[in-house]
Amino acid sequence: MPDSEKDQEPTQQVEAARKAFEQEFGRFARFTGSSGDLSGLSLEQAIIEQRLLAELRTRHLGKKSALAASKKLIGRVAPDLRATFGQLVQSIEGRLTKVLDEAEQNLKNYIENERTTLESIDVTLPGRRPRRGHRHPITLVRERIEDIFVALGYAIEDDREIETDFYNFDALNIPENHPARASQDTFYTTEGFALRSQTSTVQIHAMQRRGAPVRMIAPGRVFRRDTPDPTHNPMFFQVEGLCVDRGITMAHLKGTVAEFLRRMFGAETVTRFRPSYFPFTEPSAEFDFSCFRCKGAGCRICKNSGWIELGGSGMVHPNVLRAVGVDPEEFSGFAFGLGIDRMCALMYELDDIRLLFENDVRFLEQFE
Ligand code: DAH
């Protein structure tokens, strides 16, 4: 206790303590009374007031408060004045306690009510329906392709997008310095891995895993170092097909691709094969199908040719079978590959393939 206070009359001291309290309590005064005035107070503010009020109580009624010090003086007051002084201290303490209790109680009730209101939910309110999404057009086309091949007895393989040169090239009969490597230039990691430039890599993985016979398709993402334009994107989708068994011939390849295209584009669809070259097939062929829009008469979609070019195919090269330990004397097979996004662009008559990868919902929303 400072000396100045010690010298004061005990009555003056206790009065000073009361004054100090009244002054500080001023801003909380409106919280007293039977229910207090807490209008316009937010829950956060009320919680702050509650804390400040608790601090105020400690300062003015706590063990180290001026009032507590005054109490200690009671014994030292002259006996004839002691009773009066004692009553004064008690009545002041009583008043402080009363207003503090009131304000505290009112704040506490207010906070409880506010919390209950905030946390309560009206279960009778109509729900907010989440926006219903839908599949991407490429997914729609991929799923149709998958359904057709699953019905033909094919398994669906999913495999990695990051590859070693062995899977992307060597095992597919594309040795180093082969020109096919240049036409399928892709992206490389610093560790010598490559983003696969074709789903043909899955032929190798599937045969390594399953051996022969095998029937599978592998839809997936592929990458090439292409400059984006309306018909190219450095990332796109292909589906690979592979069928290896005893006695598989080119007739099986033609029958399978033709049946697939009939189921995809209608029973009247005609398929044609043109001789071509791929390192991993021998013989190789590209396949076209009669335009689904003009039925071969010629239109904008087929550029007036009546035919739409779709993919590559051929009889699996013996070197590919050897690379995965399948005996080409015992087994033979066919393979094919086509671009899913290209097919998607055709079916939905998109004039820019890049629209499929911009993820603009205004575009994507149109495909259900
Ligand atoms: N991988 C080839 C490409 O990306 C497409 C292809 C052609 C796949 C012939 C095949 C095939 O399985 O037999 O251009």
Side-chain angles (χ1 to χ4, degrees):
M1 193 189 301
D3 282 350
S4 59
E5 277 184 29
K6 229 180 213 162
D7 299 339
Q8 277 177 339
E9 277 294 316
T11 311
Q12 279 175 328
Q13 264 190 45
V14 75
E15 279 298 339
R18 187 184 61 80
K19 267 215 186 89
F21 171 80
E22 296 293 351
Q23 204 162 32
E24 275 193 61
F25 187 73
R27 56 184 294 250
F28 299 100
R30 71 183 179 111
F31 302 150
T32 59
S34 60
S35 62
D37 170 20
L38 291 102
S39 54
L41 203 63
S42 72
L43 177 61
E44 290 75 25
Q45 285 169 330
I47 291 169
I48 293 171
E49 296 295 332
Q50 194 181 38
R51 205 194 63 229
L52 294 175
L53 201 60
E55 286 168 10
L56 187 76
R57 180 190 285 273
T58 317
R59 263 200 314 283
H60 290 277
L61 285 176
K63 279 194 197 123
K64 289 179 187 156
S65 64
L67 198 67
S70 306
K71 271 189 183 168
K72 289 192 193 126
L73 295 178
I74 296 177
R76 285 204 251 145
V77 171
D80 53 333
L81 298 172
R82 199 173 288 159
T84 324
F85 180 69
Q87 274 163 13
L88 176 68
V89 174
Q90 237 172 30
S91 86
I92 290 175
E93 189 181 32
R95 152 143 178 89
L96 262 58
T97 311
K98 178 172 172 280
V99 292
L100 278 169
D101 284 355
E102 259 176 31
E104 245 168 31
Q105 189 58 47
N106 287 337
L107 271 169
K108 196 171 156 243
N109 292 346
Y110 183 76
I111 289 167
E112 261 170 30
N113 284 340
E114 286 295 289
R115 282 217 169 106
T116 317
T117 318
L118 271 179
E119 286 164 12
S120 66
I121 45 166
D122 182 352
V123 292
T124 65
L125 278 176
R128 234 174 285 148
R129 209 179 280 279
R131 218 184 103 174
R132 188 152 158 265
H134 56 82
R135 280 162 297 180
H136 191 281
I138 290 180
T139 307
L140 294 173
V141 174
R142 173 174 61 75
E143 289 181 350
R144 276 186 64 187
I145 298 172
E146 287 177 359
D147 286 349
I148 294 170
F149 278 100
V150 165
L152 293 176
Y154 282 68
I156 295 172
E157 288 280 345
D158 185 21
D159 224 293
R160 65 215 77 182
E161 291 170 4
I162 299 174
E163 281 293 2
T164 58
D165 270 2
F166 175 77
Y167 289 96
N168 204 59
F169 297 123
D170 300 276
L172 288 164
N173 201 32
I174 311 175
E176 229 176 321
N177 302 321
H178 192 287
R181 289 209 179 194
S183 66
Q184 295 214 355
D185 198 11
T186 175
F187 303 92
Y188 296 88
T189 71
T190 45
E191 289 81 22
F193 293 102
L195 297 184
R196 67 179 177 191
S197 64
Q198 47 186 348
T199 45
S200 304
T201 54
V202 190
Q203 291 187 25
I204 307 303
H205 288 294
M207 284 194 283
Q208 282 182 338
R209 259 199 306 268
R210 297 164 177 258
V214 65
R215 281 171 177 73
M216 66 93 195
I217 61 160
R221 215 184 289 266
V222 298
F223 305 83
R224 286 197 200 166
R225 204 127 88 189
D226 280 339
T227 306
D229 69 27
T231 54
H232 293 89
N233 200 58
M235 186 277 294
F236 57 104
F237 289 82
Q238 286 187 334
V239 60
E240 191 76 13
L242 176 72
C243 168
V244 175
D245 206 336
R246 294 178 183 87
I248 297 293
T249 69
M250 194 114 185
H252 295 110
L253 165 64
K254 293 178 84 173
T256 304
V257 171
E259 179 58 17
F260 159 63
L261 291 168
R262 278 193 296 266
R263 293 196 188 188
M264 195 78 189
F265 294 104
E268 67 291 345
T269 309
V270 182
T271 307
R272 84 175 175 190
F273 286 78
R274 285 176 287 112
S276 185
Y277 169 77
F278 297 102
F280 32 85
T281 44
E282 181 59 34
S284 303
E286 283 175 63
F287 54 91
D288 312 333
F289 66 105
S290 54
C291 180
F292 59 91
R293 179 52 44 87
C294 64
K295 313 287 175 214
C299 68
R300 197 179 70 94
I301 292 179
C302 57
K303 298 193 200 85
N304 282 320
S305 72
W307 294 97
I308 295 172
E309 296 181 9
L310 194 60
S313 66
M315 299 307 291
V316 181
H317 197 289
N319 285 349
V320 175
L321 296 176
R322 276 187 208 108
V324 291
V326 170
D327 181 3
E329 297 299 324
E330 186 183 357
F331 289 98
S332 59
F334 65 78
F336 58 88
L338 53 94
I340 302 181
D341 10 36
R342 207 184 107 68
M343 201 170 205
C344 184
L346 277 169
M347 289 165 66
Y348 295 116
E349 296 183 38
L350 312 176
D351 32 56
D352 196 327
I353 209 161
R354 292 171 294 185
L355 287 167
L356 291 168
F357 307 113
E358 283 168 359
N359 287 339
D360 185 333
V361 281
R362 288 167 303 181
F363 168 75
L364 295 174
E365 252 165 15
Q366 303 170 63
F367 310 92
E368 289 266 7

